[in-house]
């Protein structure tokens, strides 16, 4: 059943963007990271650009986005300066989104543009008033899932890697707190360890080297114990996966952005590519893990959520530009577009802030972690 679902997902990701008749006279601009931050968003945008060259504009924000915020802002403003652009999709929504969106609305007077951001780096209280629609993985839910999976595996310790910049984000802190509370309820020791920020002086290579060095050290410090590791940064997943797979008692519950494509192919030298067959990606990954006796030490989601955000919201943006619904927010149309992109029914929940208030335009998506044993073919 899971294999069949994966095939359906793969076909849906390829075909979802053709669910409307493309009209002339408007453009949809997409801003993503480069492939060094993760292939998924870049591949999704490039696939759409190839299919719809007269509609899609695609650009990338800098790898050192935290220190080059003005460059990110200028790219978003450049999109908005084109009168044919009727929607901007920004995934992952790194620093600069709030400022740029406010300038687009207030300084440029472009309140006709649909402003969408996914996987936002900025706090809900900042980005939600600026954007029209915010989409995110259910960060708090992921915190519970990581701890639940660690308990299922019988882990003794759960290690959480992060750094100061990430720990200034409300959603990341909320996820960490949920992970810690759940782990401790299971009797699992929760340990926070610092790692270098890849946008800092050490760069991505230095931060990855630190992870590769630290995980064996943690295992040496805890002989005979099962240790589950989690890291909040996309670019560090490759190093995390490479180090964990070589340690018999090390476990990996979820990437920071759960997906079959998030780091695994680069980490393990696999051939499957983001945007390709999900069934092939899952079986290839499961078979590799089986050779390392790690099938029961790794998990992820079966769906590349960030890709589905981009492809689904592209369809939604085109519907908006073509006047197929009133206003900028139509939850039924949004769920339909993302579900068609994902290949499964997706229900969007609203983010609830620290005061218990729902943020009306901030939507969350979540799936269940998979068991790689279900996908082994060799």
């Amino acid at each position: 059943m899971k294999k069949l679902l994966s095939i359906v997902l793969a076909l849906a990701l390829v075909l979802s963007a053709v669910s409307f008749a493309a009209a002339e006279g408007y453009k949809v601009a997409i801003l993503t990271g480069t492939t060094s931050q993760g292939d998924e968003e870049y591949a999704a945008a490039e696939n759409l650009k190839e299919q719809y060259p007269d509609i899609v504009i695609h650009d990338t924000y800098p790898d050192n986005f935290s220190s080059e915020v003005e460059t990110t802002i200028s790219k978003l403003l450049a999109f908005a300066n084109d009168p044919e652009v009727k929607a901007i999709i920004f995934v992952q929504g790194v620093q600069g989104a709030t400022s740029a969106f406010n300038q687009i609305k207030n300084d440029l007077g472009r309140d006709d543009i649909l402003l969408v951001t996914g996987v936002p780096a900025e706090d809900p209280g900042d980005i939600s008033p600026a954007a029209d629609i915010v989409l995110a993985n259910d960060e708090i839910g992921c915190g519970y899932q990581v701890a639940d999976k660690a308990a299922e595996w019988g882990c003794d310790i759960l290690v959480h890697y992060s750094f100061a910049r990430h720990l200034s984000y409300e959603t990341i802190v909320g996820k960490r707190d949920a992970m810690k509370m759940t782990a401790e309820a299971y009797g699992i020791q929760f340990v926070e360890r610092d790692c270098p920020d890849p946008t800092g002086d050490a760069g991505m290579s230095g931060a990855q080297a630190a992870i590769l060095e630290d995980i064996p050290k943690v295992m040496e410090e805890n002989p005979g114990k099962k240790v589950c590791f989690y890291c909040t940064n996309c670019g560090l997943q490759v190093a995390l996966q490479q180090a964990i797979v070589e340690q018999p008692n090390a476990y990996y519950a979820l990437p920071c952005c759960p997906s079959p494509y998030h780091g695994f192919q680069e980490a393990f030298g696999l051939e499957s590519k983001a945007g390709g067959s999900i069934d092939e990606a899952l079986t290839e990954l499961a078979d590799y893990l089986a050779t390392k006796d790690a099938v029961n030490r790794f998990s992820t989601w079966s769906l590349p959520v960030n890709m589905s955000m981009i492809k689904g919201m592209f369809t939604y943006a085109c519907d908006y530009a073509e006047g197929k619904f009133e206003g900028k927010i139509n939850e039924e149309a949004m769920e339909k577009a993302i579900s068609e992109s994902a290949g499964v029914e997706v229900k969007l929940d609203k983010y609830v802030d620290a005061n218990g208030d729902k943020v009306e335009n901030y939507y969350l998506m979540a799936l269940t972690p998979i068991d790689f044993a279900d996908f082994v073919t060799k």
Side-chain angles (χ1 to χ4, degrees), residues 191-204:
V191 177
E192 291 189 72
R193 287 178 86 95
D194 293 331
C195 63
D197 186 338
T199 67
D201 294 340
M204 182 63 74

Side-chain angles (χ1 to χ4, degrees), residues 136-143 145 175 301 349 363-367:
N137 295 325
D138 184 355
E139 298 281 1
I140 308 302
C142 284
Q145 285 186 355
K175 174 170 56 178
W301 288 354
D349 293 322
Y363 297 93
L364 304 177
M365 300 170 60
L367 277 80

Side-chain angles (χ1 to χ4, degrees), residues 92-94 117-123 127 134-136 139 169 171 362:
Q92 299 180 28
V94 299
T117 189
V119 196
E122 296 167 315
D123 285 340
I127 187 59
V134 183
L135 290 169
E139 298 281 1
Y169 301 159
T171 52
Y362 197 115

Side-chain angles (χ1 to χ4, degrees), residues 15-209:
L15 299 175
S16 63
V18 300
S19 60
F20 64 93
E24 296 182 356
Y26 68 86
K27 296 176 183 175
V28 175
I30 306 173
L31 188 66
T32 71
T34 67
T35 56
S36 73
Q37 291 294 320
D39 289 340
E40 292 185 36
E41 298 91 2
Y42 184 89
E46 283 297 297
N47 287 344
L48 288 171
K49 184 178 178 180
E50 183 177 344
Q51 293 176 61
Y52 304 102
D54 295 331
I55 296 178
V56 176
I57 305 170
H58 177 217
D59 201 353
T60 59
Y61 51 78
D63 288 341
N64 290 327
F65 50 83
S66 66
S67 60
E68 298 181 44
V69 176
E70 290 304 319
T71 300
T72 300
I73 292 172
S74 69
K75 293 194 174 196
L76 292 167
L77 294 178
F79 286 156
N81 277 314
D82 182 342
E84 291 189 327
V85 169
K86 299 302 180 185
I88 295 174
I89 301 170
F90 184 13
V91 182
Q92 299 180 28
V94 299
Q95 293 97 323
T98 297
S99 177
F101 286 176
N102 283 330
Q103 290 181 58
I104 288 168
K105 287 179 177 178
N106 302 324
D107 299 342
L108 300 183
R110 293 297 311 274
D111 57 1
D112 60 310
I113 296 181
L114 176 70
L115 300 174
V116 179
T117 189
V119 196
E122 296 167 315
D123 285 340
D126 296 323
I127 187 59
S128 292
D132 295 310
I133 296 171
V134 183
L135 290 169
N137 295 325
D138 184 355
E139 298 281 1
I140 308 302
C142 284
Y144 295 126
Q145 285 186 355
V146 169
D148 286 342
K149 200 68 180 175
E152 178 186 325
W153 285 327
C155 291
D156 304 291
I157 301 169
L158 175 53
V159 174
H160 180 277
Y161 284 111
S162 195
F163 39 82
R165 177 171 61 85
H166 268 192
L167 293 175
S168 69
Y169 301 159
E170 178 182 325
T171 52
I172 288 179
V173 171
K175 174 170 56 178
R176 179 204 61 189
D177 292 347
M179 199 180 300
K180 178 180 180 180
M181 177 186 69
T182 308
E184 291 178 346
Y186 283 122
I188 299 171
Q189 181 185 357
F190 186 83
V191 177
E192 291 189 72
R193 287 178 86 95
D194 293 331
C195 63
D197 186 338
T199 67
D201 294 340
M204 182 63 74
S205 60
Q208 289 178 335

